[in-house]
Coordinates of all heavy atoms in Angstrom, one line a residue:
M1 N -30.3 121.2 -66.0 CA -29.8 120.6 -64.8 C -30.1 119.1 -64.9 O -31.1 118.6 -65.5 CB -30.7 121.1 -63.6 CG -30.3 120.5 -62.3 SD -31.2 121.3 -60.9 CE -30.4 122.8 -60.8
D2 N -29.1 118.3 -64.5 CA -29.2 116.9 -64.5 C -30.5 116.4 -63.8 O -30.9 117.1 -62.7 CB -28.0 116.2 -63.7 CG -26.8 116.1 -64.7 OD1 -26.9 116.2 -65.9 OD2 -25.7 116.0 -64.1
A3 N -31.1 115.4 -64.3 CA -32.4 114.9 -63.6 C -32.2 114.2 -62.3 O -33.0 114.1 -61.5 CB -33.1 114.0 -64.6
R4 N -30.9 113.6 -62.2 CA -30.6 112.8 -60.9 C -29.9 113.7 -60.0 O -28.9 114.4 -60.3 CB -29.8 111.6 -61.3 CG -30.5 110.5 -62.1 CD -31.4 109.8 -61.2 NE -32.4 109.0 -61.9 CZ -33.6 108.7 -61.5 NH1 -34.0 109.1 -60.4 NH2 -34.4 108.0 -62.3
C5 N -30.3 113.6 -58.8 CA -29.8 114.5 -57.7 C -28.3 114.2 -57.4 O -28.0 113.0 -57.3 CB -30.7 114.4 -56.4 SG -30.1 115.3 -55.1
A6 N -27.6 115.2 -57.2 CA -26.1 115.0 -56.8 C -25.9 114.4 -55.5 O -24.8 113.9 -55.1 CB -25.5 116.4 -56.9
H7 N -27.0 114.4 -54.6 CA -26.8 113.8 -53.2 C -26.8 112.3 -53.3 O -25.7 111.7 -53.0 CB -28.0 114.3 -52.3 CG -27.9 113.7 -51.0 ND1 -29.1 113.2 -50.4 CD2 -26.9 113.6 -50.1 CE1 -28.7 112.7 -49.2 NE2 -27.4 113.0 -49.0
S8 N -27.9 111.7 -53.7 CA -28.0 110.2 -53.8 C -28.7 109.7 -54.9 O -29.3 108.6 -54.9 CB -28.7 109.7 -52.4 OG -27.9 109.9 -51.3
G9 N -28.8 110.6 -55.9 CA -29.4 110.1 -57.2 C -30.9 110.1 -57.2 O -31.6 109.5 -58.1
G10 N -31.6 110.9 -56.3 CA -33.0 111.1 -56.3 C -33.5 111.7 -57.6 O -32.8 112.3 -58.4
P11 N -34.8 111.6 -57.8 CA -35.4 112.1 -59.1 C -35.7 113.6 -59.0 O -36.8 114.1 -58.8 CB -36.7 111.4 -59.3 CG -37.1 111.0 -57.8 CD -35.8 110.8 -57.1
L12 N -34.6 114.3 -59.2 CA -34.7 115.8 -59.1 C -35.6 116.4 -60.1 O -36.2 117.4 -59.9 CB -33.3 116.5 -59.2 CG -33.1 117.8 -58.7 CD1 -33.5 118.0 -57.2 CD2 -31.6 118.2 -58.9
C13 N -35.9 115.7 -61.2 CA -36.7 116.1 -62.3 C -38.2 116.1 -61.7 O -39.1 116.8 -62.3 CB -36.6 115.2 -63.5 SG -36.8 113.5 -63.1
D14 N -38.6 115.4 -60.6 CA -39.8 115.4 -60.1 C -40.0 116.4 -58.8 O -41.0 116.4 -58.2 CB -40.2 114.0 -59.6 CG -40.4 113.1 -60.7 OD1 -40.7 113.5 -61.8 OD2 -40.2 111.9 -60.5
G15 N -38.9 117.1 -58.6 CA -38.9 118.1 -57.4 C -39.8 119.4 -57.6 O -40.1 119.7 -58.7
D16 N -40.2 119.9 -56.5 CA -41.0 121.1 -56.5 C -40.1 122.2 -56.8 O -39.0 122.3 -56.4 CB -41.7 121.3 -55.2 CG -42.8 120.4 -54.9 OD1 -43.4 119.9 -55.9 OD2 -43.1 120.1 -53.8
I17 N -40.5 123.2 -57.6 CA -39.8 124.5 -57.9 C -40.4 125.6 -57.1 O -41.7 125.7 -57.3 CB -39.7 124.7 -59.4 CG1 -39.0 123.6 -60.1 CG2 -39.1 126.1 -59.7 CD1 -39.0 123.7 -61.6
E18 N -39.6 126.3 -56.4 CA -40.2 127.5 -55.6 C -39.3 128.6 -55.8 O -38.0 128.5 -56.1 CB -40.2 127.1 -54.2 CG -41.2 126.0 -53.8 CD -41.2 125.6 -52.4 OE1 -40.7 126.4 -51.5 OE2 -41.7 124.5 -52.1
E19 N -39.9 129.8 -55.7 CA -39.0 131.0 -55.8 C -39.0 131.7 -54.4 O -39.9 131.8 -53.7 CB -39.7 132.0 -56.7 CG -39.0 133.4 -56.9 CD -39.7 134.4 -57.7 OE1 -40.7 134.0 -58.4 OE2 -39.3 135.5 -57.8
A20 N -37.7 132.0 -54.1 CA -37.5 132.8 -52.8 C -36.5 133.9 -53.1 O -35.4 133.6 -53.6 CB -36.9 131.8 -51.8
D21 N -36.8 135.0 -52.7 CA -36.0 136.3 -53.0 C -35.6 136.4 -54.4 O -34.4 136.7 -54.7 CB -34.8 136.2 -52.0 CG -35.2 136.3 -50.6 OD1 -36.2 136.9 -50.2 OD2 -34.5 135.6 -49.7
G22 N -36.4 136.1 -55.3 CA -36.2 136.2 -56.8 C -35.3 135.1 -57.3 O -34.9 135.1 -58.5
V23 N -35.0 134.0 -56.5 CA -34.2 132.9 -57.0 C -35.1 131.7 -57.1 O -35.8 131.3 -56.2 CB -33.1 132.7 -55.9 CG1 -32.3 131.4 -56.5 CG2 -32.1 133.8 -55.9
L24 N -35.0 131.1 -58.2 CA -35.8 129.8 -58.5 C -34.9 128.7 -57.9 O -33.8 128.5 -58.3 CB -36.1 129.6 -59.9 CG -37.2 130.5 -60.5 CD1 -37.3 130.3 -62.0 CD2 -38.6 130.2 -59.8
Q25 N -35.6 127.8 -57.2 CA -34.9 126.6 -56.6 C -35.8 125.3 -56.9 O -37.0 125.4 -56.7 CB -34.6 126.8 -55.1 CG -33.7 127.9 -54.8 CD -33.5 128.0 -53.3 OE1 -34.4 127.9 -52.5 NE2 -32.2 128.1 -52.9
V26 N -35.1 124.2 -57.0 CA -35.8 123.0 -57.1 C -35.5 122.2 -55.9 O -34.3 122.3 -55.4 CB -35.5 122.2 -58.4 CG1 -34.0 121.9 -58.4 CG2 -36.3 120.9 -58.5
F27 N -36.5 121.5 -55.3 CA -36.3 120.8 -54.0 C -36.4 119.3 -54.4 O -37.4 118.9 -54.9 CB -37.3 121.2 -52.9 CG -37.0 122.6 -52.4 CD1 -37.5 123.7 -53.1 CD2 -36.3 122.7 -51.2 CE1 -37.2 124.9 -52.6 CE2 -36.0 124.0 -50.7 CZ -36.5 125.1 -51.4
C28 N -35.4 118.5 -54.0 CA -35.4 117.1 -54.3 C -36.5 116.3 -53.5 O -36.5 116.6 -52.3 CB -34.0 116.5 -54.1 SG -33.9 114.7 -54.4
P29 N -37.2 115.5 -54.1 CA -38.4 114.9 -53.4 C -37.8 113.8 -52.3 O -38.6 113.4 -51.5 CB -39.1 114.2 -54.5 CG -38.3 114.1 -55.7 CD -37.3 115.2 -55.5
W30 N -36.6 113.4 -52.4 CA -36.1 112.3 -51.5 C -35.6 113.0 -50.2 O -36.1 112.4 -49.1 CB -34.9 111.6 -52.1 CG -35.4 110.5 -53.1 CD1 -36.6 110.4 -53.6 CD2 -34.6 109.5 -53.7 NE1 -36.7 109.3 -54.4 CE2 -35.4 108.8 -54.5 CE3 -33.2 109.1 -53.6 CZ2 -34.9 107.6 -55.2 CZ3 -32.8 108.1 -54.4 CH2 -33.6 107.4 -55.2
H31 N -34.8 114.0 -50.1 CA -34.4 114.5 -48.9 C -34.5 116.0 -48.8 O -33.9 116.6 -47.9 CB -32.8 114.1 -48.6 CG -32.6 112.7 -48.8 ND1 -32.0 112.2 -50.0 CD2 -32.9 111.6 -48.0 CE1 -32.0 110.8 -49.8 NE2 -32.5 110.4 -48.7
D32 N -35.2 116.6 -49.7 CA -35.6 118.0 -49.7 C -34.4 119.0 -49.8 O -34.5 120.1 -49.4 CB -36.3 118.4 -48.5 CG -37.4 119.5 -48.6 OD1 -37.8 119.7 -49.8 OD2 -37.5 120.2 -47.7
Y33 N -33.2 118.5 -50.4 CA -32.1 119.4 -50.7 C -32.6 120.4 -51.7 O -33.4 120.1 -52.6 CB -30.9 118.7 -51.2 CG -30.1 118.0 -50.1 CD1 -30.7 117.6 -48.9 CD2 -28.8 117.6 -50.3 CE1 -29.9 116.9 -47.9 CE2 -28.0 116.9 -49.4 CZ -28.6 116.5 -48.2 OH -27.9 115.9 -47.3
D34 N -32.1 121.7 -51.5 CA -32.5 122.8 -52.5 C -31.3 122.9 -53.5 O -30.1 122.7 -53.1 CB -32.7 124.0 -51.7 CG -31.4 124.5 -51.0 OD1 -31.0 123.7 -50.0 OD2 -30.8 125.5 -51.4
F35 N -31.7 123.3 -54.7 CA -30.7 123.5 -55.8 C -31.2 124.8 -56.5 O -32.2 124.8 -57.1 CB -30.5 122.3 -56.7 CG -29.9 121.1 -56.1 CD1 -30.7 120.1 -55.5 CD2 -28.5 121.0 -56.0 CE1 -30.1 119.1 -54.9 CE2 -27.9 119.9 -55.3 CZ -28.8 118.9 -54.8
N36 N -30.3 125.7 -56.7 CA -30.5 126.9 -57.5 C -30.6 126.5 -58.9 O -29.7 125.8 -59.5 CB -29.4 127.9 -57.3 CG -29.6 129.2 -58.1 OD1 -29.8 129.1 -59.3 ND2 -29.4 130.3 -57.4
L37 N -31.6 126.8 -59.6 CA -31.9 126.3 -61.0 C -30.9 126.9 -62.0 O -30.6 126.3 -62.9 CB -33.3 126.6 -61.5 CG -34.4 125.7 -60.9 CD1 -35.8 126.2 -61.3 CD2 -34.1 124.3 -61.4
K38 N -30.4 128.1 -61.7 CA -29.5 128.8 -62.6 C -28.0 128.3 -62.4 O -27.3 128.0 -63.3 CB -29.5 130.2 -62.4 CG -28.8 131.0 -63.5 CD -29.2 132.5 -63.6 CE -28.5 133.1 -64.8 NZ -29.0 134.4 -65.0
T39 N -27.6 128.2 -61.1 CA -26.2 127.9 -60.8 C -26.0 126.4 -60.4 O -24.9 125.9 -60.5 CB -25.7 128.7 -59.6 OG1 -26.4 128.3 -58.4 CG2 -25.9 130.2 -59.8
G40 N -27.0 125.7 -60.0 CA -26.9 124.3 -59.6 C -26.4 124.2 -58.1 O -26.3 123.1 -57.6
K41 N -26.2 125.3 -57.5 CA -25.6 125.2 -56.0 C -26.7 125.0 -55.1 O -27.8 125.5 -55.2 CB -24.8 126.6 -55.8 CG -23.6 126.7 -56.6 CD -22.8 127.9 -56.2 CE -21.5 127.9 -57.1 NZ -20.7 129.0 -56.8
S42 N -26.4 124.3 -54.0 CA -27.3 124.0 -52.9 C -26.8 124.6 -51.7 O -25.6 124.8 -51.5 CB -27.4 122.5 -52.7 OG -28.1 122.2 -51.6
S43 N -27.7 125.0 -50.8 CA -27.3 125.5 -49.5 C -26.6 124.4 -48.6 O -25.9 124.7 -47.6 CB -28.5 126.0 -48.7 OG -29.3 125.0 -48.4
T44 N -26.7 123.2 -49.0 CA -26.0 122.1 -48.3 C -24.5 122.0 -48.8 O -23.7 121.3 -48.2 CB -26.6 120.7 -48.7 OG1 -26.4 120.5 -50.1 CG2 -28.1 120.7 -48.4
G45 N -24.0 122.7 -49.8 CA -22.7 122.6 -50.3 C -22.5 121.8 -51.5 O -21.5 121.9 -52.2
L46 N -23.5 121.0 -51.8 CA -23.5 120.2 -53.0 C -23.7 121.1 -54.2 O -24.2 122.3 -54.1 CB -24.6 119.1 -53.0 CG -24.3 117.9 -52.0 CD1 -25.5 117.0 -52.1 CD2 -23.0 117.2 -52.4
E47 N -23.4 120.6 -55.4 CA -23.6 121.4 -56.6 C -24.0 120.4 -57.7 O -23.5 119.4 -57.9 CB -22.3 122.2 -57.0 CG -22.5 123.1 -58.2 CD -21.4 124.1 -58.3 OE1 -20.5 124.2 -57.4 OE2 -21.4 124.6 -59.4
Q48 N -25.1 120.8 -58.4 CA -25.7 120.0 -59.4 C -25.2 120.5 -60.8 O -25.1 121.7 -60.9 CB -27.3 120.1 -59.3 CG -28.0 119.3 -60.2 CD -28.1 117.9 -59.7 OE1 -27.8 117.6 -58.5 NE2 -28.6 117.0 -60.5
Q49 N -25.0 119.6 -61.7 CA -24.6 120.0 -63.1 C -25.7 120.7 -63.8 O -26.8 120.3 -63.8 CB -24.2 118.8 -63.8 CG -23.8 119.1 -65.3 CD -22.5 119.8 -65.4 OE1 -21.5 119.3 -64.8 NE2 -22.5 120.9 -66.1
V50 N -25.4 121.9 -64.3 CA -26.4 122.6 -65.0 C -25.9 122.8 -66.5 O -24.8 122.8 -66.7 CB -26.7 124.1 -64.3 CG1 -27.5 123.9 -63.1 CG2 -25.4 124.8 -64.2
Y51 N -26.9 123.1 -67.3 CA -26.6 123.2 -68.8 C -27.2 124.5 -69.3 O -28.3 124.9 -68.9 CB -27.1 122.1 -69.5 CG -26.5 120.7 -69.1 CD1 -27.2 119.9 -68.1 CD2 -25.3 120.3 -69.5 CE1 -26.7 118.8 -67.7 CE2 -24.8 119.1 -69.1 CZ -25.5 118.3 -68.1 OH -25.0 117.2 -67.7
E52 N -26.6 125.1 -70.3 CA -27.1 126.2 -70.9 C -28.3 125.9 -71.8 O -28.2 124.8 -72.5 CB -26.0 126.9 -71.8 CG -26.4 128.2 -72.5 CD -25.2 128.8 -73.4 OE1 -24.1 128.6 -73.0 OE2 -25.6 129.3 -74.4
V53 N -29.3 126.6 -71.8 CA -30.5 126.3 -72.6 C -30.9 127.4 -73.5 O -30.7 128.6 -73.2 CB -31.8 126.0 -71.7 CG1 -33.0 125.8 -72.4 CG2 -31.4 124.8 -70.8
K54 N -31.2 127.1 -74.7 CA -31.6 128.1 -75.7 C -33.0 127.8 -76.2 O -33.3 126.6 -76.6 CB -30.6 128.0 -76.8 CG -30.9 129.0 -78.0 CD -29.9 128.8 -79.1 CE -30.2 129.7 -80.3 NZ -29.3 129.4 -81.4
L55 N -33.8 128.8 -76.3 CA -35.2 128.6 -76.8 C -35.1 129.3 -78.2 O -34.7 130.4 -78.3 CB -36.3 129.3 -75.9 CG -36.3 128.8 -74.5 CD1 -37.3 129.6 -73.6 CD2 -36.7 127.3 -74.5
D56 N -35.6 128.6 -79.2 CA -35.7 129.2 -80.5 C -36.9 128.6 -81.3 O -37.0 127.5 -81.6 CB -34.4 128.7 -81.3 CG -34.3 129.4 -82.7 OD1 -34.8 130.5 -82.8 OD2 -33.7 128.7 -83.5
E57 N -37.8 129.6 -81.5 CA -39.0 129.3 -82.3 C -39.8 128.1 -81.7 O -40.2 127.2 -82.4 CB -38.7 129.0 -83.8 CG -38.1 130.2 -84.5 CD -37.9 130.0 -86.0 OE1 -38.4 129.0 -86.5 OE2 -37.2 130.9 -86.6
G58 N -40.0 128.1 -80.4 CA -40.7 127.1 -79.7 C -39.9 125.8 -79.4 O -40.5 124.9 -78.8
N59 N -38.7 125.7 -79.9 CA -37.9 124.6 -79.6 C -36.9 124.8 -78.5 O -36.4 126.0 -78.3 CB -37.1 124.1 -80.8 CG -38.0 123.7 -81.9 OD1 -38.9 122.9 -81.7 ND2 -37.7 124.2 -83.2
V60 N -36.6 123.8 -77.8 CA -35.6 123.9 -76.6 C -34.3 123.2 -77.0 O -34.3 122.0 -77.3 CB -36.2 123.3 -75.3 CG1 -35.2 123.4 -74.1 CG2 -37.5 123.9 -74.9
Y61 N -33.2 123.9 -76.8 CA -31.9 123.3 -77.1 C -31.0 123.3 -75.9 O -31.0 124.3 -75.1 CB -31.1 124.2 -78.2 CG -31.8 124.1 -79.5 CD1 -32.9 125.0 -79.8 CD2 -31.5 123.2 -80.5 CE1 -33.5 125.0 -81.1 CE2 -32.2 123.1 -81.7 CZ -33.2 124.0 -82.0 OH -33.8 124.0 -83.3
V62 N -30.4 122.2 -75.6 CA -29.6 122.1 -74.4 C -28.1 122.0 -74.8 O -27.8 121.1 -75.6 CB -30.0 120.9 -73.5 CG1 -29.1 120.8 -72.3 CG2 -31.4 121.0 -73.1
K63 N -27.3 122.8 -74.2 CA -25.9 122.8 -74.6 C -25.1 121.8 -73.7 O -25.2 121.8 -72.5 CB -25.2 124.2 -74.3 CG -23.7 124.2 -74.9 CD -23.2 125.6 -74.7 CE -21.8 125.7 -75.4 NZ -21.3 127.1 -75.4
H64 N -24.5 120.8 -74.3 CA -23.7 119.8 -73.6 C -22.5 119.4 -74.5 O -22.5 119.5 -75.6 CB -24.6 118.6 -73.2 CG -25.2 117.9 -74.4 ND1 -24.5 116.9 -75.1 CD2 -26.3 118.1 -75.1 CE1 -25.3 116.4 -76.1 NE2 -26.5 117.2 -76.2
S65 N -21.5 118.9 -73.9 CA -20.3 118.6 -74.6 C -19.8 119.5 -75.5 O -19.3 119.2 -76.5 CB -20.5 117.2 -75.2 OG -20.9 116.2 -74.3
G66 N -20.0 120.8 -75.2 CA -19.4 121.9 -76.0 C -20.3 122.3 -77.3 O -19.9 123.2 -77.9
E67 N -21.3 121.6 -77.5 CA -22.1 121.8 -78.7 C -23.6 122.0 -78.3 O -24.1 121.3 -77.4 CB -22.0 120.7 -79.8 CG -20.6 120.5 -80.2 CD -20.1 121.6 -81.2 OE1 -21.0 122.3 -81.8 OE2 -18.9 121.8 -81.2
L68 N -24.3 122.7 -79.0 CA -25.8 122.7 -78.9 C -26.4 121.5 -79.6 O -25.9 121.2 -80.6 CB -26.4 124.0 -79.5 CG -26.3 125.3 -78.6 CD1 -26.8 126.5 -79.4 CD2 -27.1 125.2 -77.3
S69 N -27.4 120.9 -78.9 CA -28.0 119.8 -79.5 C -28.6 120.2 -80.9 O -29.2 121.2 -81.0 CB -29.1 119.2 -78.6 OG -29.9 118.3 -79.3
L70 N -28.5 119.3 -81.8 CA -29.0 119.6 -83.2 C -30.5 119.2 -83.2 O -31.2 119.6 -84.2 CB -28.2 118.8 -84.2 CG -26.7 119.2 -84.3 CD1 -26.0 118.3 -85.4 CD2 -26.6 120.7 -84.7
Q71 N -31.0 118.5 -82.2 CA -32.4 118.1 -82.3 C -33.1 118.9 -81.2 O -32.6 118.9 -80.0 CB -32.5 116.6 -81.9 CG -32.5 115.7 -83.1 CD -32.9 114.3 -82.8 OE1 -32.5 113.8 -81.8 NE2 -33.8 113.8 -83.6
P72 N -34.2 119.6 -81.5 CA -34.9 120.2 -80.4 C -35.4 119.1 -79.3 O -35.7 118.0 -79.7 CB -36.2 120.7 -81.1 CG -35.8 120.8 -82.6 CD -34.8 119.6 -82.8
F73 N -35.4 119.6 -78.1 CA -35.7 118.7 -77.0 C -37.1 118.0 -77.2 O -37.2 116.9 -76.9 CB -35.7 119.5 -75.7 CG -36.0 118.7 -74.5 CD1 -35.0 117.9 -73.9 CD2 -37.2 118.7 -73.9 CE1 -35.2 117.1 -72.8 CE2 -37.4 117.9 -72.7 CZ -36.5 117.1 -72.3
S74 N -38.0 118.7 -77.8 CA -39.4 118.2 -78.0 C -39.4 117.0 -79.0 O -40.3 116.3 -79.1 CB -40.3 119.2 -78.4 OG -39.9 119.8 -79.6
Q75 N -38.3 116.9 -79.8 CA -38.3 115.9 -80.8 C -37.4 114.7 -80.5 O -37.2 113.7 -81.2 CB -37.9 116.5 -82.2 CG -38.9 117.4 -82.7 CD -38.5 118.0 -84.0 OE1 -37.4 117.7 -84.6 NE2 -39.2 118.9 -84.5
V76 N -36.7 114.7 -79.3 CA -35.8 113.6 -78.9 C -36.6 112.5 -78.4 O -37.6 112.6 -77.7 CB -34.9 114.1 -77.8 CG1 -34.1 112.9 -77.2 CG2 -34.0 115.2 -78.2
K77 N -36.3 111.3 -78.9 CA -37.1 110.1 -78.6 C -36.2 109.3 -77.7 O -35.0 109.1 -77.8 CB -37.4 109.3 -79.9 CG -38.3 109.9 -80.8 CD -38.6 109.1 -82.0 CE -39.5 109.9 -83.0 NZ -39.6 109.2 -84.3
E78 N -36.9 108.6 -76.7 CA -36.2 107.8 -75.8 C -36.0 106.4 -76.4 O -36.8 105.9 -77.2 CB -37.1 107.5 -74.5 CG -37.2 108.8 -73.7 CD -38.0 108.5 -72.4 OE1 -37.9 107.3 -72.0 OE2 -38.4 109.5 -71.8
T79 N -34.8 105.8 -76.1 CA -34.5 104.5 -76.7 C -34.5 103.5 -75.7 O -34.4 103.7 -74.5 CB -33.1 104.5 -77.4 OG1 -32.1 105.0 -76.5 CG2 -33.1 105.4 -78.5
Ligands
FES1 S1 -31.2 112.3 -53.2 FE1 -31.7 114.3 -53.5 S2 -31.6 115.2 -51.6 FE2 -31.0 113.2 -51.3

């Protein structure tokens, strides 16, 4: 899921994750909008971009732009 909230760009990556009725949701710390972690949909009608994730031998791969990242997430360096 994108780290920036689809509402006003809040830090969704810092949101609380809660389970309700078997569904994992993240709550944005700015305005408390909920987003389903699997679908990206919110009860507000907004939708957050989500990405397919693959775990392989302890590495995390995120599918974007049609290809799986060639670098494990844990090895990506910020520039
Ligand atoms: S910026 Fe995330 S709910 Fe408003």
Side-chain angles (χ1 to χ4, degrees):
M1 178 176 287
D2 280 340
R4 291 285 166 207
C5 180
H7 177 228
S8 292
L12 200 52
C13 53
D14 293 334
D16 289 333
I17 295 175
E18 298 179 15
E19 181 182 349
D21 299 325
V23 176
L24 286 175
Q25 296 181 313
V26 60
F27 290 83
C28 182
W30 280 9
H31 308 104
D32 208 33
Y33 282 22
D34 62 296
F35 293 93
N36 180 308
L37 282 176
K38 190 167 189 172
T39 66
K41 293 185 178 180
S42 169
S43 64
T44 63
L46 287 177
E47 191 165 343
Q48 188 75 13
Q49 177 70 51
V50 291
Y51 301 94
E52 182 180 331
V53 174
K54 178 181 173 184
L55 302 175
D56 185 29
E57 297 183 11
N59 295 314
V60 179
Y61 296 87
V62 179
K63 187 174 185 177
H64 60 89
S65 302
E67 299 287 334
L68 280 175
S69 170
L70 297 177
Q71 276 192 308
F73 183 75
S74 60
Q75 295 179 1
V76 174
K77 295 178 182 173
E78 292 185 23
T79 55

